[in-house]
Amino acid sequence: MDEPLSETIETVEQLEELLSRPTPEVVAMMGRLEGDLIVLGVGGKIGPSLARMARRASDAAGVRRRIIGVARFSTPELHQQLQAEGIDAIRCDLLDRDQLAGLPDAPNVLYLAAMKFGSTGNEAATWARNAYLPGMICERYRRSRIVAYSTGNVYPLTPIERGGSVESDPPGPVGEYAMSCLGRERIFAHFSQTLGIPVTLIRLNYACEMRYGVLVDLALKILADKPIDLSMGYFNAIWQGDNNAMTLLSLTQAASPPTAINVTGPEVLSVRQVAEEMGNLLDKRVQFVSSESGDALLSNASLAYRLFGKPRVSESQLIRWVVDWCRRGGSTLNKSTHFQVRDGRF
Ligand SMILES: NC(=O)c1ccc[n+]([C@@H]2O[C@H](COP(=O)([O-])OP(=O)(O)OC[C@H]3O[C@@H](n4cnc5c(N)ncnc54)[C@H](OP(=O)(O)O)[C@@H]3O)[C@@H](O)[C@H]2O)c1
């Protein structure tokens, strides 16, 4: 499974294969893990390739287990696709108590359901999805171990030279979306402690692949001759395949009270430098607006690297892949990350 990575990614099929290719460590861990695995919120940007990696790793380890993927399936084709790939796809609105009660039990839960974009103006729904639903999930899956996605947005903006927030830093969410994500963490922590549920909280900063992510936002703007906003002048990014591997490995770190783990790439990337590098590769002159501030939303993921090893795909490889993909007009999800936002309004 530890094959060399190709220089370019030509097709969606090749991309999906790479995103879901398990590392030897993931195969070994999934070989040792007992029982089925359920992915709650499988319908979004991360869920499908994460569920596929879990399927492939279990098969490679020779373990028979159900991988179950749950969503409302707003994208209906995905239901069929996952079924064909050996993932039991179940339609369910997790906020509906009866539907949630009807889901199969599983000792391993990955929790991805969340609301970010459109949260400004829909504050009540945002809190219900991000902070109330986690309590319902803990009550339903009280005998499971849970890996729940959180976000680097629970931290405040930090001075660039600090190299990013670490897990022991006090939270400082900016804006109501980020506050609701801290609410999600607190609710998981509460039920982890009162019901004894082992939990890992993944504080992710910008998973990136060819169809979505900060690098895609930058490349598409440059190709369209649109100016690059420098007000959030720095960021972290991680190849979504590495994020998937770390998420599965973090099942081994679930504890009560929860273990929080930052997941992102090792580099503090400068928007200006990355955009200029992309401009050179694309033979485009890059225009900038605004200017860098002394702080940005950054995380330090040293703990994750100590536990799971460093990401296999470097940021420079990711930049080359994304530029190549966007130059050829490869398909994108047409969803912006809005990474420039500094006031927390999404
Ligand atoms: N992508 C990133 O770079 C990033 C960065 C930081 C943190 N995160 C966190 O990582 C997690 C997963 O990210 P993502 O990018 O895959 O998020 P996403 O694209 O929003 O996917 C979450 C999926 O959960 C499903 N869902 C939402 N509400 C549901 C409900 N009531 N019942 C059933 N399913 C529901 C939705 O699918 P349906 O509409 O089909 O139901 C949705 O597509 C989220 O918690 C997010 O906060 C992601």
Side-chain angles (χ1 to χ4, degrees), residues 1-6 14 16-31 49 52-63 239 241-242 245 248 312-313 321:
M1 284 285 167
D2 217 9
E3 298 157 35
L5 296 160
S6 59
Q14 192 189 354
E16 294 288 8
E17 190 284 317
L18 273 175
L19 285 171
S20 63
R21 187 188 291 177
T23 61
E25 292 79 9
V26 171
V27 173
M29 189 281 296
M30 292 299 279
S49 62
R52 288 182 189 118
M53 186 180 285
R55 174 75 283 151
R56 289 177 66 183
S58 303
D59 294 349
V63 174
W239 163 241
D242 283 314
L248 290 172
R312 288 173 188 238
V313 174
W321 274 349

Side-chain angles (χ1 to χ4, degrees), residues 41 43-46 72-74 92-94 112 114 150 184 204 207:
K45 299 176 289 295
I46 295 177
R72 292 161 305 183
F73 289 100
S74 319
C92 167
D93 181 349
L94 294 167
L112 283 76
S150 177
R184 167 171 57 187
L204 174 63

Side-chain angles (χ1 to χ4, degrees), residues 142-159:
R142 59 175 64 206
R143 276 181 283 281
S144 305
R145 73 171 63 79
I146 303 179
V147 172
Y149 272 99
S150 177
T151 165
N153 288 69
V154 296
Y155 297 120
L157 305 184
T158 54

Side-chain angles (χ1 to χ4, degrees), residues 40-47 70-75 92-95 111-116 129 133 149-153 177 181 184 204-208 212 240 335:
L40 303 176
V42 80
K45 299 176 289 295
I46 295 177
V70 177
R72 292 161 305 183
F73 289 100
S74 319
T75 324
C92 167
D93 181 349
L94 294 167
L95 275 164
Y111 178 73
L112 283 76
M115 175 159 174
K116 181 172 188 180
R129 190 94 64 83
L133 180 56
Y149 272 99
S150 177
T151 165
N153 288 69
Y177 158 71
C181 293
R184 167 171 57 187
L204 174 63
N205 265 21
Y206 298 125
C208 189
Y212 177 82
Q240 198 180 292
K335 289 181 184 165

